[in-house]
Amino acid sequence: MPALAERARGTNFSASMSVAMRARQLRAEGRDIISLAIGDPDLPAPRHAIEAAKAAADKGRTSYPPLDGLPELKQAVRRKFKRDQGVDYAAGEVMVANGGKQVIMNAFLATLDPGDEVVIPVPAWVAYADMARVLGAVPRLVPCPENNGFLPRVEELEAAIGPRTRWLILNFPNNPTGAVAPPGLLADIGRMLERHPHVWLMTDDMYEHLCFAEGGYRGIAACAPQLRDRTLVVSGISKTYAMTGWRVGFAGGPAELIRAMCVMQGHQTAGVNVIAQAAAAAALDGPQDIVAERAAIYRERRDIVVAALNAAGLRCHTPQGAFYAYPSVAAMLGRSTPQGRMIGTDADFALALLEEAGVATVSGGAFGMSPYIRISTATDTESLREACARIAAFCASLG
Amino acid sequence: MSLTAERLDRISPSQTIAITSKARALKAAGRDVIGLAAGEPDFDTPQNVKDAAIAAILRGETKYTDVSGTPALRRAIAARFAADHGLDYRPEEIIVATGGKQIIFNAMLATVGPGDEVIIPAPAWVSYPDIVQLAEGTPVIVPAGQNQGFRITPQQLEAAITPKTKWLILNNPSNPTGAAYSPEELKALAEVLLRHPQVWVLMDDIYAKLAFDGRKIATLVEVEPLLRDRTLTMNGCSKAYAMTGWRIGYAGGPLPLIKAMDKLQSQSTSNTCSIAQAAAIEALSGPQDSVAAMAAAYQRRRDLVVRMLNEAPGLRCATPEGAFYVFPALHGCLGKTSAGGKRIETDEDFVIALLEEQGVAAVHGSAFLFPGHFRISYATDDASLIEACTRIRRFCEGLR
């Protein structure tokens, strides 16, 4: 066989996808598996989005979409940014992509040369560092310890910035910890970045509406408006409206960057499925009551899970948003399972939990901070309770 | 310092921006413009496909799927490969992407590094060299003009291959020429390829179902199974099923390559829209009569367009075997002045003057790495085509 490229040899499936695949495999073998591995909301897409998609499919609006998004979706995105974050973007300052992931890939393709650096506070979604590596760039990880509420310290972020730094990536509410930066912290980060004009700032706000903190999540535009000409705000419909499979993400940012991102998307996939775009526009423009209703559901589940995990002996910080819990498994290390597996790492713990107790989670190592596991609460409440009971029994059984 | 990557500078500026923005401006100003520039079918997506999408929406199939596509869709693709070409791809040897373009992007990203060469016969879709350059590779353009039926010869291929060659990209039938290799011609190219085991082959068969005159268009692995373990056989729903906006491309290939592409896709977009995937299952597994009906309509239009263009002085138009394009040579028009007083020195001058003076939008050959020609898409209704060809003839007759 002819050879593969260096960038393919170094790339792997994301840890959460690997776990999900293993869980599917065990299920196919007839095992009773509860998967808390993936951030895929169990709730349905909003009714009006579904109606809009049906209408679009029926109407036969099925020719090539514009690269940067259908005009009506771009308008809905601009209204959304204005409504939620108080920022006015011009039409040339927003773009639509195949999921938030592609927004980030576009931005990285447009800005990263081999050897460039990306500062990523961890724990973080694995994709940031993986994507940077695919393009030959170097992730600089800045730990956000549990005793600081999984939040970054400004001086540590600044210490990670060097001459080759191209991006600082912020993600609040955070995947996997659920941490939410208070407005004061975002403002401080903004002031720090004024000293480093060569650095782009990306805020991945995919979970912005799933925020339980007082006053909700206030985006970067409100806290550091002076950075507008180098800030890219990423969001999408996947998490807010439970529309993961549709693959619609979007971004607002300076026109020059947005234009370059469109060029890059033009060479990867071209535009986004027109039916999904119609559904996305309806979701963004339609009644928003569903957003608060769902945030309340996730909050209730969070309370159930945090209480159960703490009772099981896993120390679990209370997340302020998103639909994840990130308990420490430190107290379980060095112990062994009834089937004789040694728990040396969080990965050992997650694997044994899946194989022996039938609960799929992702180990913290995958997010850049051990020893933790990530639990997704985007599963029906009954399954969550059952999963927590299994986790408690599993922990109690460790010798 | 620049805030953007060098990668951005490697990409050639779009060749079609001048012509498409002019067409848009003229239309906005109320001018009657017939657009023959777009590379997409004018037919609507078949009703059974739309119904399948709506059913999937109502079933709530709106969640993440496997990155490489749902098992059901990959089975449907495997069955289609088997039925159309007798190929035996297993579902795990298949990947579904957001359009054929992403298949190419994934494949190049997975295999091409700095200094690697990719052989691209021209005229060619300009995305091939652009994506190669994005992956830091070097496109090696092999010209194949009308005199050789827009098809490269085995000798040309042999001469273009070096130790650094990573890929040969074949588009059969071709955008922009509509030319297709016969099975014998493919076999002759395969014999060259068998001597060079370091070379991957991308078979872009996206137009293969739009074949004329009773022809059946073969794919490489079908005529030379020995190349199966280094060929990526690519197809999609856009052209055959009039589904451009759904964004479904797919490919079958050797497991290690498909796996590598799968991983890269998991880093850039993950799965293709779940609803589009459901629609694609119906397109590929449902009744295929709409495909034959569309191909028959394209053949009728091809005959119309080829005949009328050859009546225009200075144009020479070959008869394509498939797709929905013609790529006439316009050398006989160069060096002249249009009725509107415009000097025609290049193919781009020709299409711009044609647009301004006669209101017909086409794409100049340079945009396909092949000057001296222009591309007409005849994926539009017969009446518009007759009117457009009449205008083109009038334009050519006005040249002095």
Side-chain angles (χ1 to χ4, degrees):
Chain A
M1 196 186 82
L4 297 176
E6 192 57 47
R7 65 174 84 77
R9 285 196 292 267
T11 306
N12 226 318
F13 288 110
S14 76
S16 49
M17 282 175 190
S18 304
V19 175
M21 283 190 268
R22 176 70 184 143
R24 269 198 286 269
Q25 200 180 340
L26 287 173
R27 265 196 203 126
E29 290 166 14
R31 289 278 307 275
D32 164 29
I33 304 292
I34 304 178
S35 180
L36 308 181
I38 279 218
D40 195 352
D42 59 310
L43 305 165
R47 197 73 241 162
H48 46 275
I50 287 174
E51 291 303 326
K54 276 171 58 188
D58 250 342
K59 217 190 304 172
R61 290 180 24 169
T62 47
S63 59
Y64 281 122
L67 188 49
D68 54 347
L70 290 178
E72 60 265 41
L73 177 54
K74 287 185 64 184
Q75 278 160 18
V77 166
R78 292 164 64 197
R79 282 191 285 269
K80 175 241 143 17
F81 276 126
K82 176 78 182 153
R83 178 175 72 226
D84 294 338
Q85 305 204 353
V87 52
D88 269 307
Y89 286 116
E93 294 178 316
V94 296
M95 64 120 31
V96 178
N98 291 284
K101 205 175 237 180
Q102 193 179 26
V103 171
I104 301 166
M105 183 53 116
N106 289 338
F108 280 6
L109 277 167
T111 55
L112 291 180
D113 287 317
D116 284 343
E117 297 176 1
V118 178
V119 175
I120 305 169
V122 290
W125 187 39
V126 279
Y128 307 128
D130 283 344
M131 278 193 240
R133 281 192 205 100
V134 165
L135 302 179
V138 182
R140 290 274 173 241
L141 308 182
V142 178
C144 304
E146 186 182 345
N147 63 16
N148 198 43
F150 293 119
L151 291 170
R153 294 193 176 93
V154 179
E155 60 280 13
E156 289 173 10
L157 291 178
E158 183 159 29
I161 291 176
R164 296 292 311 260
T165 305
R166 289 295 186 131
W167 285 96
L168 167 63
I169 310 235
L170 299 178
N171 168 221
F172 302 112
N174 177 267
N175 170 14
T177 66
V180 176
L185 175 58
L186 290 179
D188 288 346
I189 293 173
R191 270 188 294 277
M192 179 273 287
L193 283 176
E194 286 178 47
R195 294 192 286 274
H196 306 280
H198 63 294
V199 178
W200 294 100
L201 172 63
M202 181 187 297
T203 72
D204 178 349
D205 294 350
M206 197 55 79
Y207 299 92
E208 60 183 310
H209 291 290
L210 307 179
C211 183
F212 323 128
E214 199 69 40
Y217 173 68
R218 291 186 68 203
I220 194 73
C223 306
Q226 76 278 21
L227 297 182
R228 193 195 145 134
D229 65 348
R230 54 187 167 111
T231 299
L232 185 72
V233 181
V234 183
S235 194
I237 59 167
S238 294
K239 313 297 181 178
T240 304
Y241 303 104
M243 292 173 70
T244 51
W246 301 78
R247 312 307 301 128
V248 179
F250 46 81
E256 188 203 1
L257 176 63
I258 294 287
R259 205 165 32 239
M261 289 166 61
C262 288
V263 170
M264 290 303 164
Q265 181 164 310
H267 291 297
Q268 291 169 74
T269 59
V272 174
N273 177 289
V274 286
I275 316 292
Q277 291 199 63
L284 290 173
D285 275 344
Q288 301 295 306
D289 339 350
I290 183 177
V291 176
E293 283 164 27
R294 289 186 175 181
I297 294 173
Y298 288 121
R299 182 184 185 135
E300 187 191 314
R301 291 179 184 170
R302 173 202 69 176
D303 292 340
I304 293 169
V305 167
V306 169
L309 294 175
N310 278 314
L314 299 177
R315 190 183 67 239
C316 188
H317 184 83
T318 302
Q320 295 301 304
F323 42 56
Y324 304 106
Y326 201 63
S328 165
V329 298
M332 306 298 153
L333 301 185
R335 299 165 69 177
S336 58
T337 69
Q339 293 181 21
R341 285 187 171 83
M342 271 301 293
I343 309 288
T345 64
D346 52 9
D348 295 339
F349 182 90
L351 180 72
L353 183 66
L354 173 60
E355 301 287 340
E356 298 186 23
V359 179
T361 61
V362 185
S363 60
F367 303 97
M369 187 174 283
S370 294
Y372 295 87
I373 57 170
R374 187 191 74 170
I375 287 178
S376 164
T377 61
T379 299
D380 67 282
T381 310
E382 195 188 329
S383 302
L384 267 182
R385 285 187 202 277
E386 167 65 17
C388 287
R390 291 188 192 180
I391 293 170
F394 176 75
C395 290
S397 73
L398 295 178
Chain B
M1 71 181 268
S2 163
L3 277 173
T4 53
E6 276 172 31
R7 189 177 295 109
L8 200 59
D9 307 327
R10 282 202 300 270
I11 293 174
S12 53
S14 169
Q15 284 277 331
T16 52
I17 278 185
I19 187 83
T20 49
S21 51
K22 190 168 284 279
R24 211 175 300 130
L26 287 175
K27 262 189 194 156
R31 278 281 300 277
D32 158 34
V33 173
I34 305 178
L36 305 180
E40 65 180 328
D42 59 318
F43 296 106
D44 195 7
T45 303
Q47 191 59 43
N48 61 317
V49 174
K50 293 197 226 171
D51 290 343
I54 292 170
I57 292 170
L58 295 178
R59 280 197 306 274
E61 286 180 18
T62 57
K63 303 298 180 187
Y64 289 126
T65 75
D66 289 346
V67 171
S68 57
T70 61
L73 175 52
R74 282 181 284 146
R75 281 195 299 272
I77 291 166
R80 184 100 325 265
F81 275 135
D84 290 348
H85 297 294
L87 303 182
D88 62 346
Y89 290 115
R90 288 171 287 129
E92 60 270 30
E93 294 175 306
I94 286 166
I95 182 169
V96 180
T98 303
K101 199 178 247 181
Q102 195 181 21
I103 295 286
I104 303 167
F105 179 82
N106 289 338
M108 295 301 133
L109 219 63
T111 53
V112 173
D116 287 340
E117 297 174 354
V118 176
I119 297 173
I120 301 169
W125 188 39
V126 77
S127 283
Y128 300 134
D130 279 341
I131 294 173
V132 168
Q133 277 167 316
L134 208 73
E136 301 174 72
T138 306
V140 175
I141 307 298
V142 179
Q146 207 179 103
N147 58 337
Q148 57 188 92
F150 296 119
R151 295 184 276 265
I152 60 164
T153 63
Q155 295 74 23
Q156 279 181 299
L157 176 59
E158 182 70 63
I161 294 176
T162 75
K164 291 184 150 185
T165 303
K166 211 59 187 273
W167 283 92
L168 164 67
I169 299 183
L170 285 180
N171 180 205
N172 192 39
S174 142
N175 170 13
T177 67
Y181 294 89
S182 70
E184 296 71 28
E185 286 164 334
L186 280 182
K187 182 85 179 162
L189 295 177
E191 271 160 32
V192 175
L193 291 163
L194 286 172
R195 292 196 287 272
H196 301 280
Q198 82 280 17
V199 182
W200 294 99
V201 188
L202 174 63
M203 250 345 259
D204 179 349
D205 294 334
I206 196 93
Y207 295 97
K209 283 191 189 300
L210 305 180
F212 308 141
D213 311 315
R215 204 175 260 105
K216 192 192 156 297
I217 291 181
T219 193
L220 187 65
V221 179
E222 186 180 2
V223 302
E224 185 44 271
L226 287 175
L227 288 173
R228 186 191 194 277
D229 66 351
R230 53 190 172 103
T231 298
L232 189 64
T233 306
M234 172 191 143
N235 214 313
C237 292
S238 294
K239 314 295 182 178
Y241 303 99
M243 290 175 68
T244 49
W246 298 80
R247 315 302 305 123
I248 292 278
Y250 56 82
L255 199 55
L257 176 62
I258 295 292
K259 264 216 164 111
M261 291 167 63
D262 190 2
K263 284 178 194 173
L264 285 166
Q265 184 166 310
S266 85
Q267 302 293 359
S268 62
T269 58
S270 63
N271 65 266
T272 299
C273 175
S274 56
I275 301 302
Q277 292 192 56
I281 293 175
E282 174 63 22
L284 296 169
S285 318
Q288 300 291 303
D289 20 324
S290 57
V291 181
M294 285 190 254
Y298 288 134
Q299 179 176 327
R300 188 183 70 240
R301 293 170 182 175
R302 174 203 66 174
D303 292 340
L304 172 81
V305 168
V306 169
R307 179 175 53 75
M308 288 188 76
L309 289 178
N310 277 320
E311 286 164 12
L315 300 186
R316 202 176 71 244
C317 185
T319 302
E321 289 83 21
F324 43 65
Y325 307 108
V326 287
F327 198 64
L330 51 77
H331 298 103
C333 302
L334 298 180
K336 297 186 171 177
T337 303
S338 73
K342 185 127 191 264
R343 278 289 289 177
I344 309 295
E345 300 290 357
T346 66
D347 52 354
E348 186 165 18
D349 294 342
F350 180 91
V351 293
I352 288 182
L354 176 66
L355 174 61
E356 284 175 343
E357 298 177 24
Q358 293 293 338
V360 176
V363 185
H364 51 302
S366 304
F368 303 95
L369 311 173
F370 216 79
H373 298 70
F374 67 116
R375 186 190 79 171
I376 283 176
S377 160
Y378 51 82
T380 194
D381 64 280
D382 292 30
S384 301
L385 283 175
I386 291 171
E387 172 61 20
C389 290
T390 306
R391 292 185 192 183
I392 292 170
R393 191 175 62 202
R394 195 183 306 141
F395 178 80
C396 291
E397 284 167 355
L399 293 172
R400 289 289 171 271

